[in-house]
Amino acid sequence: DMVSDNRTLVTEFIILGFPNAREVELLLFAAFFLMYVLTFTENVAIILVIGMDYRLHTPMYFFITNLSFLDIGYTTVTVPKMLANIAIQSQTISVTGCFTQLYIFFFLGSAECFLLTTMAYDRYLAICNPLHYTTIMDCRACLWLALGCWLGGFLAPALPTAFLFRLPFCGSNIINHFFCDSPPLLELSCQGVFEIEVINFVVGTTVLMSSFILTMISYIFILATILHIPTAEGRSKAFSTCASHLTIVTIFYGTTMFMYIRTKTIQTFDFNKIVSVFYSVVTPVLNPVIYSLRNNDIKQGMRKVILKQ
């Protein structure tokens, strides 16, 4: 393929990753490999424990199962490719492969935003409307809410990815990142990208801010209700059911908002890479730990499953 001024169009990209001395690269390989194995093992364990213990067949644990599936997918779409790049020193990725990775990553990320909002709504109903909780949050409602999260996530990146895919890339083909992310890709286009930056910003802001605001509204009501509980023990018990979710919400939104709600991308891609590692590799490792360490039901479920074996 040739463009009008005889510059060859890019047919593959090179993912720069973390260009360091081989020793540092191997150290990074070991760290990322360990985190990926941990993420996979922890989340599969949570899915199995919740599936096998009928006492955990409640809306909250149904949504935690969905979160575990998302976290597995979220890391699987980026980390194995990055590990392969370090291991075999081949950093190329086809244009189609690159955009597929980009799309799936943002599909799962958007779905996670919507799911965290749904989980906040679930906690709101459980604490603020306990008498009607089981009738409102029945199986059907849970399934529709989960389906809505996955479908919303699937649709959210469609427009930005379609516009990005139509861009001509005809200069450098080196992506200064460890996966195909939109800011470094926009840097490589040989055409004006202002409109696409605006679309990215609008879609990213809509997904993040709408889900974040709805989550915060749920928590304002939850907090107001908790403060009216007469006993300290009652307040503590009510708050402990939200603490895990609130921790995950803080980590997830803190890092993703920093990365994607900016009209012009800060040029320090190396700093961006560190932030990206945090929400795409570290958070999925932490989520199951935060949920299982603070949660006696999951701990008991794990004991039951292990002792049965």
Side-chain angles (χ1 to χ4, degrees), residues 143-282:
L143 283 171
W144 278 112
L145 283 165
L147 193 65
C149 294
W150 286 90
L151 188 63
F154 185 76
L155 295 174
L159 192 66
T161 311
F163 273 93
L164 257 171
F165 194 64
R166 288 172 56 205
L167 281 178
F169 298 94
C170 47
S172 165
N173 68 337
I174 296 171
I175 295 172
N176 187 8
H177 211 315
F178 62 89
F179 68 95
C180 288
D181 199 359
S182 53
L185 270 170
L186 287 170
E187 286 285 305
L188 301 182
S189 175
C190 49
Q191 183 183 304
V193 293
F194 177 72
E195 294 87 350
I196 297 172
E197 281 190 333
V198 170
I199 291 166
N200 274 354
F201 178 72
V202 170
V203 172
T205 308
T206 306
V207 169
L208 280 168
M209 291 313 292
S210 63
S211 48
F212 180 71
I213 289 164
L214 287 169
T215 302
M216 288 302 105
I217 290 169
S218 291
Y219 271 104
I220 289 163
F221 282 111
I222 288 168
L223 195 61
T225 305
I226 287 174
L227 292 174
H228 284 101
I229 295 172
T231 65
E233 190 191 348
R235 285 195 296 273
S236 165
K237 194 181 174 193
F239 186 73
S240 72
T241 68
C242 304
S244 307
H245 180 254
L246 201 52
T247 309
I248 286 165
V249 163
T250 309
I251 297 168
F252 184 80
Y253 284 109
T255 50
T256 48
M257 281 180 177
F258 176 82
M259 272 302 288
Y260 296 106
I261 302 192
R262 298 191 303 222
T263 41
K264 188 76 187 100
T265 308
I266 295 172
Q267 297 307 312
T268 55
F269 279 117
D270 290 333
F271 185 55
N272 287 356
K273 275 191 254 189
I274 294 163
V275 178
S276 298
V277 165
F278 208 81
Y279 68 79
S280 63
V281 185
V282 179

Side-chain angles (χ1 to χ4, degrees), residues 56-224:
L56 301 179
H57 294 176
T58 65
M60 183 170 89
Y61 294 109
F62 172 69
F63 294 129
I64 289 174
T65 302
N66 277 269
L67 186 70
S68 287
F69 275 114
L70 280 172
D71 282 338
I72 290 169
Y74 207 55
T75 43
T76 301
V77 78
T78 52
V79 179
K81 175 68 181 158
M82 174 174 64
L83 292 173
N85 288 351
I86 297 173
I88 58 174
Q89 300 278 283
S90 160
Q91 292 153 307
T92 58
I93 187 168
S94 69
V95 172
T96 313
C98 185
F99 282 99
T100 304
Q101 186 186 54
L102 175 98
Y103 180 82
I104 295 172
F105 185 77
F106 285 101
F107 152 38
L108 297 171
S110 303
E112 187 150 329
C113 281
F114 301 139
L115 185 66
L116 289 173
T117 309
T118 304
M119 291 167 89
Y121 174 65
D122 172 65
R123 294 298 82 211
Y124 156 74
L125 285 177
I127 290 166
C128 304
N129 203 348
L131 297 177
H132 298 117
Y133 176 66
T134 47
T135 49
I136 298 170
M137 266 297 178
D138 59 4
C139 277
R140 201 162 162 216
C142 289
L143 283 171
W144 278 112
L145 283 165
L147 193 65
C149 294
W150 286 90
L151 188 63
F154 185 76
L155 295 174
L159 192 66
T161 311
F163 273 93
L164 257 171
F165 194 64
R166 288 172 56 205
L167 281 178
F169 298 94
C170 47
S172 165
N173 68 337
I174 296 171
I175 295 172
N176 187 8
H177 211 315
F178 62 89
F179 68 95
C180 288
D181 199 359
S182 53
L185 270 170
L186 287 170
E187 286 285 305
L188 301 182
S189 175
C190 49
Q191 183 183 304
V193 293
F194 177 72
E195 294 87 350
I196 297 172
E197 281 190 333
V198 170
I199 291 166
N200 274 354
F201 178 72
V202 170
V203 172
T205 308
T206 306
V207 169
L208 280 168
M209 291 313 292
S210 63
S211 48
F212 180 71
I213 289 164
L214 287 169
T215 302
M216 288 302 105
I217 290 169
S218 291
Y219 271 104
I220 289 163
F221 282 111
I222 288 168
L223 195 61

